[in-house]
Amino acid sequence: MLSSSVSSLARHAKRRTALPTIGAVRNLNVHEYISMEIMKEHGIAIPEGYVASTPEEAENQYLKGLQHTGQGHKDGVIKAQVLSGGRGLGHFKNGFQGGVHMVTKPGQAREFASQMLGQELVTKQAPNGILCSKVYMMERMYMRKEMYLSILMDRASQGPLMVASPRGGTSIEDVAASNPEVIFTQPIDIVEGLTEEQCDHMASNLGLEKGTAPYEKAVKLMKNLYDMFISCDCTQVEINPLAETPDGDIVVCDAKVNFDDNAEYRQKTIFDRRDYSQEDPREVEASKYDLNYIGLDGNIGCMVNGAGLAMSTMDIIQLKGGSPANFLDVGGGATEAQVQKGFEILNNDSNVKAILVNIFGGIMKCDVIANGIINAAKEIGIRKPIVIRLQGTNVEKAKLLIEGCGFKMILANDLEDAATKAVGVADIAAQAEKIAVDVKFESFDL
């Protein structure tokens, strides 16, 4: 079972002190079958596997794909391809239990696939469900030993970090919590690269005996994995479990790979395989305009410039008894078009009952924000109350634009005042919606 991230494990490493950084980071997450294909291209051993989009295709892959080698009958494993961890313990909204199943006889692949495809899988990471459009039919591996191995970009050590454990096949976060002594970490100098000595050290940490075939194969796999990590601009490669077979092979049985969005221009073949249907449509739309947007589950939409100010804004909303619906940082150099698109995303979100705009104008000019909001209001109309707090560059010009725009907006004196008003009007709007009463909000003067 794969976890969503191994970054929390980095705290078990001996790390150099590094300055913290703040900012939104978007990483491409691809399906398991794509991760496996990329690993195979880099000389990493994986089970035989095929992707299917229909029950008939899944059955055919089991009967003709896995059984074609002349090595006798092979059992298979059919896996729902959704971008979420905990698939095996999840359930589909149609009542079918589990997104991972053993296939041992004809007819099972078709039956399991028919219950998975076109259905939404609910997991701990995706409590609202996520659509399954493909399944992965792979060879069942018989494992003598299950291990864990990952490489990720570690902010504290300012470079790649290899994480390994002899206890794989289960939640690595649970292992780290209960038995932190079996979590091993190895910072890697990104200039020097992964060394032979480091590979030997980590292979021993996996519980493999030096001089044996599994040991040597694990060392080779680590080198190939690191080459893939660097050449493909990965931010995380997580293998759980990494298996030692009865024949002494070292095989990747399940993998999760993330890629740096900033490298899209040189990893086009990988990014062309992005599955937008698995992502929050609000975040997909925001990314097209280079907006730092993360959807949350509250009812107060936030538009702020600067990640630090955005975090502070969400904190004070919580302190005032409200709940933010998103993180939206328009940055210091946003254009009117970007601001307008950000506002449209907030205004179109059915969960948002009020919008709080909090701008401290430095590089970002207040009048640019005002024009973006006004243009959006003219094009799509204002259906939700807007609370605006503006300070800094061109603030007086922005106030004049807002006053003369013909739309009612609630102006606030400071951030605390803005949060109080936003929480108040969001609550009023939510209550009015429940009893089907239309309410209108008049603006407050500064």
Side-chain angles (χ1 to χ4, degrees), residues 355-359 386-391 395 399 402 409-423 425 442-446:
I355 298 172
L356 171 56
V357 179
N358 182 24
I359 301 297
I386 304 173
V387 179
I388 301 178
R389 179 257 184 172
L390 299 172
Q391 292 292 334
V395 64
K399 289 179 184 177
I402 292 171
M409 301 183 192
I410 302 171
L411 299 177
N413 296 311
D414 52 40
L415 178 52
E416 184 173 8
D417 181 39
T420 300
K421 289 173 178 175
V423 171
V425 296
E442 298 294 331
S443 63
F444 292 89
D445 294 328
L446 284 173

Coordinates of all heavy atoms in Angstrom, one line a residue, residues 355-359 386-391 395 399 402 409-423 425 442-446:
I355 N -16.4 35.9 -0.7 CA -15.1 36.1 -1.2 C -14.3 37.2 -0.5 O -14.8 38.3 -0.3 CB -15.1 36.4 -2.8 CG1 -15.7 35.2 -3.5 CG2 -13.6 36.6 -3.3 CD1 -16.0 35.5 -5.0
L356 N -13.1 36.8 0.0 CA -12.3 37.8 0.7 C -11.1 38.1 -0.1 O -10.3 37.2 -0.4 CB -11.9 37.2 2.1 CG -10.8 38.0 2.9 CD1 -11.3 39.5 3.1 CD2 -10.5 37.4 4.2
V357 N -10.9 39.3 -0.5 CA -9.7 39.8 -1.3 C -8.8 40.6 -0.3 O -9.3 41.6 0.2 CB -10.2 40.7 -2.5 CG1 -8.9 41.1 -3.2 CG2 -11.1 39.9 -3.4
N358 N -7.6 40.1 -0.1 CA -6.7 40.7 0.8 C -5.4 41.0 0.1 O -4.6 40.1 -0.2 CB -6.4 39.8 2.0 CG -5.5 40.4 3.0 OD1 -5.4 41.7 3.1 ND2 -4.8 39.6 3.8
I359 N -5.2 42.3 -0.3 CA -4.0 42.7 -1.1 C -3.2 43.7 -0.3 O -3.7 44.7 0.1 CB -4.5 43.2 -2.5 CG1 -5.3 42.2 -3.2 CG2 -3.2 43.7 -3.3 CD1 -4.5 40.9 -3.6
I386 N -18.5 40.2 -1.7 CA -17.1 40.3 -1.8 C -16.6 41.3 -0.7 O -17.1 42.4 -0.6 CB -16.7 40.9 -3.2 CG1 -17.2 40.0 -4.3 CG2 -15.2 41.0 -3.2 CD1 -17.0 40.5 -5.7
V387 N -15.7 40.8 0.1 CA -15.1 41.7 1.1 C -13.7 42.0 0.7 O -12.9 41.1 0.3 CB -15.0 41.0 2.5 CG1 -14.3 41.9 3.5 CG2 -16.4 40.6 3.0
I388 N -13.3 43.3 0.6 CA -12.0 43.7 0.1 C -11.3 44.5 1.1 O -11.8 45.5 1.7 CB -12.2 44.6 -1.2 CG1 -13.0 43.8 -2.3 CG2 -10.9 45.0 -1.7 CD1 -13.2 44.5 -3.5
R389 N -10.0 44.1 1.3 CA -9.1 44.8 2.1 C -7.9 45.1 1.2 O -7.2 44.2 0.7 CB -8.7 44.0 3.3 CG -7.6 44.8 4.2 CD -6.2 44.2 4.0 NE -5.3 44.9 5.0 CZ -4.0 44.5 5.1 NH1 -3.6 43.4 4.4 NH2 -3.2 45.1 5.9
L390 N -7.6 46.4 1.0 CA -6.5 46.9 0.1 C -5.6 47.8 0.9 O -6.1 48.7 1.6 CB -7.0 47.6 -1.1 CG -7.9 46.8 -2.1 CD1 -8.5 47.7 -3.1 CD2 -7.1 45.6 -2.7
Q391 N -4.3 47.6 0.8 CA -3.3 48.5 1.3 C -2.1 48.5 0.4 O -1.8 47.5 -0.2 CB -2.8 48.0 2.7 CG -3.9 48.1 3.8 CD -4.3 49.6 4.2 OE1 -3.5 50.5 4.0 NE2 -5.5 49.8 4.6
V395 N -3.4 52.3 -3.8 CA -4.6 51.9 -3.1 C -5.8 53.0 -3.3 O -6.9 52.6 -3.4 CB -4.3 51.7 -1.5 CG1 -3.9 53.0 -0.9 CG2 -5.6 51.1 -0.8
K399 N -9.5 52.3 -4.8 CA -10.7 52.6 -4.1 C -11.7 53.4 -5.0 O -12.9 53.1 -5.0 CB -10.4 53.4 -2.8 CG -9.8 52.6 -1.7 CD -9.5 53.5 -0.5 CE -8.8 52.8 0.6 NZ -8.4 53.7 1.7
I402 N -13.3 51.0 -7.5 CA -14.3 50.2 -6.9 C -15.6 51.0 -6.6 O -16.7 50.6 -6.9 CB -13.8 49.6 -5.5 CG1 -12.7 48.5 -5.8 CG2 -14.9 48.9 -4.8 CD1 -12.0 48.0 -4.6
M409 N -19.5 46.2 -3.2 CA -18.5 45.4 -2.6 C -18.3 45.9 -1.1 O -18.4 47.1 -0.9 CB -17.2 45.5 -3.4 CG -17.3 45.0 -4.8 SD -15.7 45.1 -5.7 CE -16.3 44.8 -7.4
I410 N -17.9 45.0 -0.2 CA -17.8 45.4 1.2 C -16.3 45.7 1.4 O -15.4 44.8 1.3 CB -18.2 44.2 2.1 CG1 -19.7 43.9 1.8 CG2 -18.1 44.5 3.5 CD1 -20.2 42.6 2.5
L411 N -16.0 46.9 1.8 CA -14.7 47.3 2.1 C -14.3 47.2 3.6 O -15.2 47.4 4.4 CB -14.4 48.8 1.6 CG -14.7 49.0 0.1 CD1 -14.5 50.5 -0.2 CD2 -13.7 48.2 -0.7
A412 N -13.1 46.8 3.9 CA -12.7 46.6 5.2 C -11.5 47.5 5.6 O -10.7 47.8 4.7 CB -12.3 45.1 5.5
N413 N -11.4 47.8 6.9 CA -10.3 48.7 7.3 C -9.0 48.0 7.4 O -7.9 48.6 7.1 CB -10.7 49.3 8.7 CG -11.9 50.1 8.7 OD1 -12.0 51.0 7.8 ND2 -12.8 49.8 9.6
D414 N -9.0 46.7 7.9 CA -7.7 46.0 8.1 C -8.1 44.5 7.9 O -9.2 44.1 7.7 CB -7.1 46.3 9.4 CG -8.0 46.1 10.6 OD1 -8.8 45.2 10.6 OD2 -8.0 47.0 11.5
L415 N -7.1 43.6 8.1 CA -7.3 42.2 7.9 C -8.2 41.6 8.9 O -9.1 40.8 8.5 CB -5.9 41.5 8.0 CG -6.0 39.9 7.8 CD1 -6.7 39.5 6.5 CD2 -4.5 39.4 7.8
E416 N -8.1 42.0 10.2 CA -9.0 41.5 11.2 C -10.5 41.9 10.9 O -11.4 41.0 11.0 CB -8.6 42.0 12.6 CG -9.5 41.4 13.7 CD -9.0 41.7 15.1 OE1 -8.1 42.6 15.2 OE2 -9.6 41.2 16.0
D417 N -10.7 43.1 10.5 CA -12.0 43.6 10.1 C -12.5 42.8 8.9 O -13.7 42.4 8.8 CB -11.9 45.1 9.8 CG -13.3 45.7 9.5 OD1 -14.3 45.3 10.1 OD2 -13.3 46.6 8.6
A418 N -11.6 42.6 7.9 CA -12.0 41.9 6.7 C -12.4 40.5 7.0 O -13.4 40.0 6.5 CB -10.8 41.9 5.7
A419 N -11.7 39.8 7.9 CA -12.0 38.4 8.2 C -13.3 38.3 9.0 O -14.1 37.4 8.7 CB -10.9 37.8 9.1
T420 N -13.5 39.3 9.9 CA -14.8 39.3 10.6 C -16.0 39.5 9.7 O -17.0 38.8 9.8 CB -14.8 40.5 11.7 OG1 -13.7 40.3 12.6 CG2 -16.1 40.5 12.5
K421 N -15.9 40.4 8.8 CA -17.0 40.6 7.8 C -17.2 39.4 6.9 O -18.3 39.1 6.6 CB -16.7 41.9 7.0 CG -16.8 43.2 7.9 CD -16.4 44.4 7.1 CE -16.6 45.7 8.0 NZ -16.1 46.9 7.4
A422 N -16.1 38.9 6.4 CA -16.2 37.7 5.5 C -16.9 36.5 6.2 O -17.7 35.9 5.6 CB -14.8 37.3 5.0
V423 N -16.5 36.2 7.4 CA -17.1 35.1 8.1 C -18.6 35.4 8.4 O -19.4 34.6 8.2 CB -16.4 34.9 9.5 CG1 -17.2 33.9 10.3 CG2 -15.0 34.4 9.2
V425 N -20.7 37.5 6.6 CA -21.6 37.5 5.4 C -21.6 36.1 4.8 O -22.7 35.7 4.3 CB -21.1 38.5 4.3 CG1 -21.2 39.9 4.8 CG2 -19.6 38.2 3.9
E442 N -24.9 45.4 1.1 CA -24.5 46.8 0.7 C -23.1 47.0 1.2 O -22.6 46.4 2.2 CB -25.4 47.8 1.4 CG -26.9 47.7 0.9 CD -27.0 48.1 -0.5 OE1 -26.2 48.9 -1.0 OE2 -28.0 47.6 -1.2
S443 N -22.3 47.9 0.5 CA -20.9 48.1 0.9 C -20.8 48.9 2.1 O -21.7 49.7 2.5 CB -20.2 48.8 -0.3 OG -20.8 50.1 -0.5
F444 N -19.6 48.7 2.8 CA -19.3 49.5 4.0 C -18.2 50.5 3.6 O -17.3 50.2 2.7 CB -18.7 48.6 5.1 CG -19.7 47.7 5.7 CD1 -19.8 46.4 5.1 CD2 -20.4 48.0 6.8 CE1 -20.8 45.5 5.7 CE2 -21.3 47.1 7.4 CZ -21.5 45.9 6.8
D445 N -18.3 51.7 4.1 CA -17.3 52.7 3.8 C -16.0 52.5 4.6 O -16.1 52.1 5.8 CB -17.8 54.1 4.0 CG -18.9 54.4 3.0 OD1 -18.9 53.9 1.9 OD2 -19.8 55.2 3.4
L446 N -14.9 52.8 4.0 CA -13.6 52.8 4.8 C -13.6 54.0 5.8 O -14.1 55.0 5.5 CB -12.4 52.8 3.9 CG -12.1 51.5 3.1 CD1 -11.0 51.8 2.1 CD2 -11.7 50.5 4.1

